[in-house]
Amino acid sequence: RYIEGDRVGGLKIGPLATIRDVELSSTVRDGFPILHQAVSKIRSVQVKTMGTIIGNVCVGTPASDVLTALIALDARLRLIGRNSGSPLPAISLCKGPKLTHLEPTDIVEHIEIPGVQGPSYGAYINLTRTLPDIAKLTVAVNLFMEDGVCADARIVVGAVAPIIFRASAAEDSLRGRGLDHETIDRAAVAARDDPTTTPIDDIRSTASYRRGMVGVLVRRALEAADTKAAAA
């Protein structure tokens, strides 16, 4: 039940660490705020106190707040017994809704989040019918800035495809550019129109509404990250 490390050296989250442990961790709050924002979106304190971070991730739901944030942070799952303990990237965990690439004999030893050497700024946003409900859209952005220019970007979208994914065209549109309104709008449209963005109609939302809100939430998340960068 451990949360070890720091922003520069990286973080390890043990298999018995609960969602509430992560939410209350000052290391997570100060060093990896995207993850802190994501777990804070889970409203039930009872659920967060009982459920583990690794258990939440291994469900494999495309609406996972936690997994969306971890993908934006380039997190990996360290597995015992397979390929000499080679890490499984969080983005490669799922192959469909609640279907993962984990084998029946796999044990996840811990989650690894790599350290960050330079300045990065991120934001996490989700969309729900009611606050305690499961998200009908999740968005995490993580920007790596150099002299006011985006050197690299992670834009992660969940609940609008069979798996959580990175909007690669939107990421590409940001690299090498300053984050003015035109650039942010272009990235938001690219995420909305990404071929992987294939929402469905279900009890929580219509497909058309979800698709439209991808652009809205990506824009809001990028604006929030840009505000943090400007204030740094």
Side-chain angles (χ1 to χ4, degrees), residues 14-230:
L16 296 184
T18 66
I19 301 169
R20 185 66 168 161
D21 290 336
V22 172
E23 183 179 30
L24 296 177
S25 166
S26 59
T27 301
V28 174
R29 184 188 65 242
D30 299 335
F32 305 90
I34 298 173
L35 180 57
H36 180 262
Q37 291 171 20
V39 297
S40 297
K41 294 292 186 180
I42 302 172
R43 300 294 173 169
S44 171
V45 175
Q46 293 92 331
V47 168
K48 289 188 285 193
T49 301
M50 293 294 293
T52 65
I53 280 284
I54 288 179
N56 178 284
V57 167
C58 290
V59 170
T61 172
S64 171
D65 298 292
V66 176
L67 185 54
T68 302
L70 289 175
I71 291 173
L73 293 168
D74 291 327
R76 302 169 295 186
L77 280 65
R78 179 69 65 173
L79 306 180
I80 294 176
R82 192 206 297 193
N83 299 327
S84 301
S86 295
L88 175 67
I91 195 169
S92 301
L93 172 65
C94 298
K95 56 185 177 181
K98 298 187 178 181
L99 297 173
T100 73
H101 289 283
L102 295 174
E103 300 293 337
T105 55
D106 282 336
I107 296 175
V108 182
E109 182 180 12
H110 58 249
I111 292 172
E112 300 174 346
I113 301 176
V116 181
Q117 305 305 317
S120 68
Y121 308 93
Y124 178 83
I125 304 177
N126 73 1
L127 184 67
T128 62
R129 291 186 304 168
T130 62
L131 291 180
D133 197 16
I134 297 171
K136 56 184 175 183
L137 175 60
T138 64
V139 169
V141 304
N142 195 11
L143 306 179
F144 302 85
M145 306 295 291
E146 294 179 2
D147 299 323
V149 172
C150 180
D152 202 2
R154 308 284 182 272
I155 299 177
V156 185
V157 183
V160 292
I163 61 173
I164 299 168
F165 67 95
R166 283 176 54 179
S168 56
E171 294 174 351
D172 291 342
S173 73
L174 295 177
R175 294 187 180 99
R177 297 178 178 272
L179 296 186
D180 55 27
H181 290 298
E182 182 180 349
T183 301
I184 288 175
D185 284 345
R186 186 184 303 112
V189 170
R192 182 197 66 195
D193 296 341
D194 191 292
T196 310
T197 302
T198 53
I200 61 171
D201 294 315
D202 65 12
I203 192 172
R204 295 186 178 87
S205 187
T206 64
S208 62
Y209 181 70
R210 273 195 175 105
R211 178 180 292 278
M213 289 304 294
V214 168
V216 174
L217 262 62
V218 168
R219 181 182 297 106
R220 291 177 182 173
L222 289 172
E223 289 172 345
D226 184 42
T227 299
K228 293 176 184 177

